[in-house]
Amino acid sequence: MNCWRLDDARQTLVLAADSGRLPEITYWGPRLPQDEDLTLISRSADPALAGGMLDAAPDLSICPEATQTFPGQPGMQISTTDGLPLLPAFRMQSADDTDGLTLTFGDADAGLTYTARFAIDADTHIITASASLTSAAPIVIGYVCAPVFPAPHQAKEMIDFHGKWCGEFKTTHTPWSAGIRARDNRTGRTGHEHFPGLIIPEDGCTNTQGAAYGFTYGWSGGHRMVAEEMPDGRRQVQFSNASQSEPVPVTEFHTAPLYVTYSDHGLNGCATAFQRHLRDRILTMPDPARPRPVHYNCWEAIYFDHDLDTLREIADRAADLGAERFVLDDGWFGKRDNDTSSLGDWTIDRRKWPDGLTPLIDHVKGLGMTFGLWFEPEMVNPDSDLYRENPDWALGRPDQILGRNQMVLDMAMTEVREYLYDHIAGILRDHDIDYIKWDHNRVLPHADAEQARGAYALLDRLRADFPEVEIESCASGGGRIDFGILERTHRVWLSDSNDALERLRIQHNSALFLPTVVTGSHVGPRTCHTSGRILPMGFRAWVAAQRHLGFEMDPRELDDRETHILKTVTAWYKDNRDWLHQADILRLDSPDPAVIAEQQTARDASRFVVFAGRADTSDQISPRPLRLTQLDAQARYKVRMISPPVQNAPAAPHLCAADGMEVSGAWLMTQGLTFPNLNPTQMWVIEGHVL
């Protein structure tokens, strides 16, 4: 038996291969002693046999093979170009553990080579796993999964994610039972409905304590997830590109990277691993030393009604509020007066902009702000010059159902990518633009992984030629958020909903994977355009300040009190963003389901801020104490409430005093903070630092 191990300070991964077959992951969990007998523990992982079974248990390998009489979902489904199934039986060719672990296996009769790669990051605690398949002759890929990981027997449930437009990152808690929990996202993008993540908590796990296993698949083109409990009780987790999404035969295929982690600090251990790995290993900023600028986006102020004088006035007010980047949204190109026309016609609309965009850009720059611009490159309206000239550039049948009055350009076509590059690059060369909001407002007419690859290629080329330009991934809000798109972009628009009550929950759940620095959050209008709800400025502003702050309303609607509150919160954000954007977001275990709370802790653990939002009325009279987490029990902390104003908080005089209170980390994590009473849609904000 061949055995390999990968370790960091908190976890060990053990793989074992017997008789040259594909290896199994025989152990994944808390760090093992260095002298552990890997062969012994791998042998002991074999399931016991019982009557009515095979004479040996088929391997639950990193790519389970149907040829091994495997009783569950196999790891690949491939066929010849004639439609005949290929059922390989791989045998080891080589193993290289000089940089991570690379294992290569072949089936000479089938002309196939399978390679699996594993790497562990000692600082972020993320294991990255991927697989590739090469063939001597073209083959059809039904699906090929990234290396398969086992799921713990001590887990009673799994947590994955669903949602909708303006309601992303909802959690689904599914009990483990015999059979399969499967998701096959064939929309062609990550989707509001199908974030490619899974968390498996062991029994008793909470946000702050217990063991959990986390997974996310770094791919933007739709994914397939299988979490299966087989008849013998073993459990497997598979992630791959969406099934049947590879349109043409290939001789080489690569899965996306699968990022996994084990935590012994509850769900937060998984969350901080993903946050840190995305922020520190995947994200590449044009200028990492530059603070993340406060955004102003004009969409919900003017929609398609572009007027230079109006936009100058709005820019003046946005700058006075503290905005540092002005983003001109949809409506500047073609003959774009609504969403029925002109997508694909990426030339400036001279009806609205007779002198081009330069007068607005110069005004914005004169106010000390940088300038950003909206594009939706992958889409086309049938009512556009581009479609009339090139109808064959659209993906799918001409009689397909439209989405938001638009079709999808075939990004696999070189001429499509060349056209888009030429027009976007021309705009960037001719204007002082440092930011693109890149939208994607409909699903594909059919699953096609080449769309994602084409979008990646276009983004990669633009990034290479315009390295100073930041790009935001927006897809009707949160429809394309994943670690694959974030290799090529710098920010995500978490949701089209600017309803702070909705965003409080969306942000709370997305923090299981996303750090502050990439997560855009804007202060919306007094009356929310997507929900019709009227929310107080203090709540709207503090919810947005939990992430990368921006404004997206008509600033001319603000009264003096709202202006003062927004300026105050924006100033606080600017004073603290240098450490907040490197902080860990820790979800707190709130004893009151009406309160959604998180703690953002500085990278050096010297300070923290707690955001506790009241989302509903409570069942009890007074707020329950809220325990903090991951502090130094022996250290003393200065803690004070900065919102709401102290005069409204007589029930917590020490916490609300100007100098706050001095207490131990042990007390904060055991007793916790007792807050003054607040009505729903209000936020407690508490700062703390080590004395």
Side-chain angles (χ1 to χ4, degrees):
M1 175 176 283
N2 295 314
C3 296
W4 304 270
R5 66 182 288 170
L6 291 88
D7 301 277
D8 63 27
R10 77 180 188 195
Q11 67 185 330
T12 294
L13 181 74
V14 177
L15 296 96
D18 203 1
S19 302
R21 298 192 302 269
L22 289 172
E24 299 181 77
I25 293 175
T26 56
Y27 177 85
W28 178 32
R31 172 76 185 247
L32 294 175
Q34 202 60 40
D35 61 354
E36 193 76 63
D37 186 332
L38 301 185
T39 299
L40 177 63
I41 65 171
S42 296
R43 294 286 188 203
S44 70
D46 292 340
L49 300 179
M53 294 180 64
L54 298 170
D55 295 339
D59 297 337
L60 175 49
S61 74
I62 58 173
C63 186
E65 297 167 294
T67 54
Q68 294 290 324
T69 325
F70 185 69
Q73 290 291 298
M76 65 173 63
Q77 178 186 316
I78 57 177
S79 61
T80 68
T81 54
D82 294 330
L84 298 175
L86 286 170
L87 301 172
F90 290 111
R91 290 297 179 266
M92 179 175 285
Q93 292 181 341
S94 65
D96 182 356
D97 60 1
T98 56
D99 183 17
L101 178 63
T102 300
L103 302 172
T104 303
F105 298 80
D107 182 334
D109 293 338
L112 298 171
T113 302
Y114 171 86
T115 303
R117 298 173 180 85
F118 299 84
I120 193 165
D121 192 304
D123 294 325
T124 66
H125 305 298
I126 289 292
I127 299 169
T128 304
S130 62
S132 62
L133 184 68
T134 59
S135 175
I139 57 173
V140 177
I141 304 291
Y143 62 86
V144 174
C145 67
V148 171
F149 281 72
H153 294 287
Q154 294 77 15
K156 290 184 177 179
E157 66 174 14
M158 66 189 83
I159 304 170
D160 59 357
F161 300 85
H162 71 283
K164 63 183 182 66
W165 178 70
C166 289
E168 296 85 346
F169 281 96
K170 297 177 185 289
T171 57
T172 300
H173 295 249
T174 304
W176 280 98
S177 61
I180 291 175
R181 165 74 171 166
R183 306 194 70 158
D184 202 354
N185 170 18
R186 298 175 49 75
T187 65
R189 64 179 186 182
T190 320
H192 306 82
E193 314 85 357
H194 303 285
F195 176 76
L198 176 69
I199 295 180
I200 303 176
E202 291 192 351
D203 193 25
C205 177
T206 70
N207 285 319
T208 62
Q209 60 188 358
Y213 298 76
F215 306 76
T216 190
Y217 190 59
W219 173 244
S220 308
H223 75 283
R224 179 177 185 265
M225 182 199 84
V226 171
E228 180 180 24
E229 182 172 304
M230 297 187 298
D232 59 20
R234 290 180 295 172
R235 295 169 171 177
Q236 65 162 329
V237 174
Q238 296 183 4
F239 276 90
S240 67
N241 295 8
S243 63
Q244 310 301 323
S245 63
E246 302 298 331
V248 295
V250 296
T251 57
E252 186 173 351
F253 175 81
H254 298 267
T255 73
L258 176 62
Y259 302 99
V260 306
T261 189
Y262 164 78
S263 163
D264 56 1
H265 289 92
L267 303 185
N268 284 336
C270 294
T272 56
F274 288 130
Q275 292 169 27
R276 293 175 185 180
H277 198 80
L278 178 55
R279 183 191 65 217
D280 300 341
R281 300 291 187 266
I282 294 176
L283 192 69
T284 54
M285 299 298 296
D287 182 1
R290 181 176 66 172
R292 302 295 276 141
V294 175
H295 279 215
Y296 175 76
N297 185 292
C298 68
W299 176 242
E300 294 196 16
I302 63 165
Y303 290 101
F304 296 100
D305 188 12
H306 288 206
D307 172 75
L308 179 58
D309 290 338
T310 299
L311 285 164
R312 281 172 170 161
E313 180 185 1
I314 288 173
D316 291 343
R317 297 196 181 213
D320 181 62
L321 291 169
E324 298 161 310
R325 174 181 282 151
F326 184 99
V327 181
L328 182 66
D329 212 285
D330 193 357
W332 57 268
F333 55 92
K335 296 179 180 178
R336 182 79 164 171
D337 297 325
N338 52 51
D339 67 4
T340 65
S341 75
S342 300
L343 279 179
D345 299 341
W346 299 112
T347 56
I348 296 168
D349 185 350
R350 296 292 172 172
R351 301 171 307 154
K352 300 176 183 179
W353 301 97
D355 299 315
L357 299 177
T358 300
L360 177 61
I361 294 174
D362 288 347
H363 186 77
V364 165
K365 302 287 284 189
L367 295 168
M369 295 188 288
T370 60
F371 188 82
L373 193 62
W374 182 94
F375 286 90
E376 192 173 2
E378 296 151 85
M379 302 295 157
V380 63
N381 287 124
D383 182 9
S384 66
D385 293 340
L386 179 65
Y387 184 79
R388 283 185 283 270
E389 294 169 7
N390 301 281
D392 57 315
W393 285 11
L395 186 70
R397 294 171 54 91
D399 60 351
Q400 67 185 263
I401 297 173
L402 300 183
R404 206 191 182 208
N405 303 296
Q406 64 197 50
M407 302 170 77
V408 183
L409 289 172
D410 187 346
M411 297 296 291
M413 298 176 66
T414 302
E415 54 266 51
V416 169
R417 297 196 303 273
E418 288 294 326
Y419 170 87
L420 292 172
Y421 174 84
D422 289 345
H423 282 72
I424 297 170
I427 294 289
L428 294 178
R429 289 192 187 101
D430 294 343
H431 300 85
D432 190 358
I433 294 170
D434 85 329
Y435 187 82
I436 291 174
K437 179 181 177 182
W438 186 298
D439 219 334
H440 185 293
N441 275 312
R442 68 153 289 174
V443 299
L444 271 58
H446 58 264
D448 186 345
E450 288 301 308
Q451 282 296 117
R453 297 188 184 104
Y456 284 175
L458 178 58
L459 285 162
D460 290 344
R461 186 178 178 189
L462 288 166
R463 286 276 311 266
D465 291 349
F466 300 93
E468 74 285 357
V469 175
E470 292 183 26
I471 302 174
E472 174 185 273
S473 175
C474 175
S476 302
R480 186 157 63 181
I481 296 175
D482 58 78
F483 283 28
I485 201 66
L486 279 162
E487 287 188 50
R488 297 159 174 89
T489 58
H490 310 91
R491 187 182 197 252
V492 295
W493 182 227
L494 188 61
S495 176
D496 273 347
S497 175
N498 277 327
D499 184 315
L501 197 57
E502 288 288 337
R503 290 191 74 94
L504 181 67
R505 179 200 56 76
I506 296 170
Q507 291 176 178
H508 188 67
N509 288 342
S510 69
L512 289 167
F513 299 92
L514 303 179
T516 297
V517 69
V518 304
T519 308
S521 188
H522 293 176
V523 181
R526 183 184 301 127
T527 301
C528 178
H529 290 190
T530 55
S531 71
R533 194 158 18 212
I534 298 174
L535 296 169
M537 174 56 79
F539 188 66
R540 285 184 279 151
W542 281 116
V543 168
Q546 290 180 262
R547 301 295 186 266
H548 182 192
L549 176 65
F551 319 139
E552 191 160 347
M553 89 294 275
D554 189 337
R556 298 171 297 180
E557 79 172 17
L558 301 179
D559 60 30
D560 290 345
R561 182 174 182 275
E562 290 171 322
T563 298
H564 172 73
I565 292 171
L566 185 51
K567 284 185 173 182
T568 299
V569 175
T570 301
W572 177 90
Y573 172 84
K574 290 180 176 180
D575 287 343
N576 289 275
R577 62 183 164 185
D578 59 333
W579 70 269
L580 283 173
H581 289 167
Q582 299 297 315
D584 292 331
I585 306 172
L586 304 171
R587 297 173 11 136
L588 296 177
D589 292 326
S590 174
D592 184 351
V595 174
I596 297 174
E598 70 181 31
Q599 173 186 321
Q600 297 191 19
T601 302
R603 196 165 192 157
D604 64 2
S606 65
R607 61 195 304 180
F608 64 82
V609 61
V610 172
F611 299 94
R614 168 149 290 175
D616 204 345
T617 55
S618 297
D619 290 338
Q620 71 278 349
I621 295 172
S622 298
R624 298 186 188 276
L626 182 68
R627 289 177 171 177
L628 307 192
T629 189
Q630 293 191 31
L631 302 177
D632 182 344
Q634 303 307 313
R636 295 195 66 77
Y637 292 83
K638 171 68 72 66
V639 183
R640 70 185 185 98
M641 182 174 288
I642 61 172
S643 176
V646 296
Q647 63 265 26
N648 293 341
H654 299 293
L655 182 61
C656 298
D659 293 333
M661 56 193 290
E662 296 181 11
V663 291
S664 69
W667 184 86
L668 288 168
M669 293 187 291
T670 304
Q671 172 61 30
L673 296 170
T674 300
F675 301 134
N677 262 310
L678 287 182
N679 292 324
T681 68
Q682 291 185 286
M683 176 86 74
W684 299 283
V685 183
I686 301 94
E687 290 182 327
H689 65 269
V690 176
L691 291 171

